[in-house]
Amino acid sequence: MARVRTGVRVVGAVLAAVLGASLAGCSSTGGKRAEERAKAAAAGRPAVSTPRWTFAMITHAGDGDTFWDIVQKGAKEAAAKDNINFVYVHDDQAQQQAQFVQNAIDQKVDGIVVSLAKPEALKDVLAKAVKAGIPVITVNSGSAQSAAYGALTHIGQDEEIAGEAVGTELNERGRKKAVCVLHEQGNVGHEQRCAGAKKTFSGTMENLYVEGTNMPSVQAAIQAQLQADPSVDAIVTLGAPFAPTAVKAKEAAGSKAEVDTFDLNESVARDLKSGALGFAVDQQPYLQGYEAIDLLWLYRYNANVLGGGRPVLTGPQIVTADEAGKLEEYIKRGSR
Amino acid sequence: MSAAAPVQGRDERLAPTSTLRKLLARPELGSVVGAVAVFVFFSIAAPTFLQASSLSTILYSASTIGIMAAPVALLMIGGEFDLSAGVMVTTSALVSSMFSYQMTANVWVGVGVSLLVTLAIGFFNGFMLTRTKLPSFIITLGTFLMLTGLNLGFTKLISGTVSTKTIADMEGFSSARALFASQWTIGSVTLKVTVLWWFAIVAVATWILLRTRAGNWIFAVGGGADAARATGVPVVKTRIGLYMGVALCAWISGQHILFSFDVVQSGEGVGNEFLYIIAAVIGGCLMTGGYGSAIGSAVGAFIFGMTSNGIVYAQWNPDWFKFFLGAMLLLATLLNAWVRKRAEATK
């Protein structure tokens, strides 16, 4: 009995201490409060008086993907402004994606935004959408098939061109031997990025396949590669979350290689500023979501189509230490 | 002594049971109750759920899971797992497509080769299991990982990319498509051929389970392999047969994916094996073997189809998708267990 009572007392004391500490120890920088201030500045209300249309966005994103979260955010904010009821679903399996497009057709939505990572799988169901008179816009991947499948416009980055920009930038930085880290075996866009970089890079470049869903194994694989070949002087990762991991691997292997990456996130911006990373290639995911919804709205409202039958490119934008500072607050907000 | 005294000498085990009681004792009863509950729930929660076109979409979605859930249910009644079932579907599609393309052969040749390869994988699973005496969980986990690697490695080696090349312009494609991936549109309703495949497979599986000697063997092996062996049941043959049954249906599924999408991504199919197991379990299969039904697996697949599409029709936030799916499945299985207990109590 007495033991129980002391137990209760200890727990109570700990709770009191934690509460006290959290009340007394307020942070004057960062945290939730700073985020709320930033949010208040960017609150969304419809700015138009068009009817409340429903637009569905179907992507090939996996669960918990940073990049697609930003795309979704852009789409959401455009939807709020254009008075749109915005529906978002995603699945990394082609069959399921086709199923979701069918769901959208069943619901008779007023517009569909779709990413064509696996174009052939969506060919038939998109033909159905077009036949049902639903305007379709493709985003992010599938620029080659977009027009043939009857989409109004494609918004995204040409992966090959983005890769070429990386190769050119590496040349300017005097690099000789690079490793391209692919974190998703089976992703055609990733293959194109590395192929593009190889094309313009005057040194040699090797592909390294890692298991993106398992960070420790990613680090181990990069480390092993650097230990096996000390002459590597550049590592290119294809996603922002993998850049800090590559930096860790480089330090552990005692290598002098420069780490560069595709896409941005908070830690990439920080590492760019501190010089731990060389450069990042941004394809402005926010813009992909935002423009897709906005262009569907324009088509519904005014029958406008952008791009003249060609893809509308949102990248590549090379971000270095100078620009990183400026972008940091937007990245923190989750919109870059 | 009254006139209504029971007839002496009759064994009570031979007493005729009422039809209602027979129904209550069926393994799939609980899942049917669960299916009705899920159906009513989404009819209220999602306005577009009850449209004919939506229901045909749900039926198709259920059939893609159900085609595999039936043989997986049989396997589970036989007391084993197959974790390689998901990627085996992708393997079968890849083999079919790449063989036809590389040999510039009639598409049907690739389809035939794919059948042989897939059956061989099924045989390998069963053979390894009966030879090594290791748990099937371990054996098929190994097969699952090996196939995942083979799918990627071979595709990259042969095609140079991570997906296959298109075979839509090759001879035999349209006739194969008619068999594996055709559809009929009646008004706003699209009936896909997979639904027919699904019904046929469930019917055959049910017939095997309830009307043939092999069905008795499956129940016996799942109930207790040693006891079954002692009474003369061919345990090895039964197990290998069950794995080959899963392989046969994986081949049907794989051909469907190939002929409806034309190009196959090598990295897909991972994780689907659990959906088949879940569908079988909701349908009343026990994880320990010896109990379950093929019709139950179909009801389980239908619940899965309703849930995964219903969430979309209800326009819920997709971040919670997996949570709802998991919660629904748990509830359906719990309801299932509860109904079974009630049914057994009334015996």
Side-chain angles (χ1 to χ4, degrees), chain A residues 83-102:
Chain A
N83 191 24
I84 297 297
N85 173 27
F86 174 67
V87 183
Y88 179 75
V89 276
H90 62 85
D91 200 293
D92 47 11
Q93 302 226 1
Q95 195 176 0
Q96 200 50 50
Q97 235 194 308
Q99 186 86 55
F100 284 148
V101 177
Q102 182 61 53

Side-chain angles (χ1 to χ4, degrees), chain A residues 54 63-64 69 72 76 85-96 98-100 102-109 117-125 128 131 182 184-189 191 207 209, chain B residues 48 51 53-58 60-61 64 152 156 160-163 166 177 183 190 192 256-257 259-263 265-272 304 308-309 312-319 321-322:
Chain A
T54 297
D63 284 332
D69 199 44
Q72 190 192 345
K76 258 198 183 131
N85 173 27
F86 174 67
V87 183
Y88 179 75
V89 276
H90 62 85
D91 200 293
D92 47 11
Q93 302 226 1
Q95 195 176 0
Q96 200 50 50
Q99 186 86 55
F100 284 148
Q102 182 61 53
N103 289 153
I105 298 169
D106 294 342
Q107 292 179 69
K108 301 188 178 63
V109 296
K118 290 130 188 184
E120 292 81 3
L122 293 168
K123 191 175 175 176
D124 291 358
V125 82
K128 259 191 212 164
K131 210 174 122 191
L182 296 96
E184 211 178 277
Q185 250 180 352
N187 187 318
V188 182
E191 301 278 343
N207 283 3
Y209 291 94
Chain B
T48 44
Q51 278 174 187
S53 61
S54 304
L55 290 176
S56 65
T57 305
I58 289 164
Y60 168 65
S61 177
T64 55
L152 280 170
K156 188 92 198 229
T161 61
V162 288
S163 58
T166 174
R177 180 170 231 181
Q183 52 187 45
T190 310
K192 301 240 186 191
H256 165 68
I257 285 176
F259 291 109
S260 56
F261 299 144
D262 174 23
V263 168
Q265 290 283 333
S266 53
E268 298 206 335
V270 176
N272 290 353
F304 184 87
S308 59
N309 291 284
V312 181
Y313 290 127
Q315 301 193 0
W316 291 348
N317 181 341
D319 294 352
F321 186 94
K322 292 254 163 66

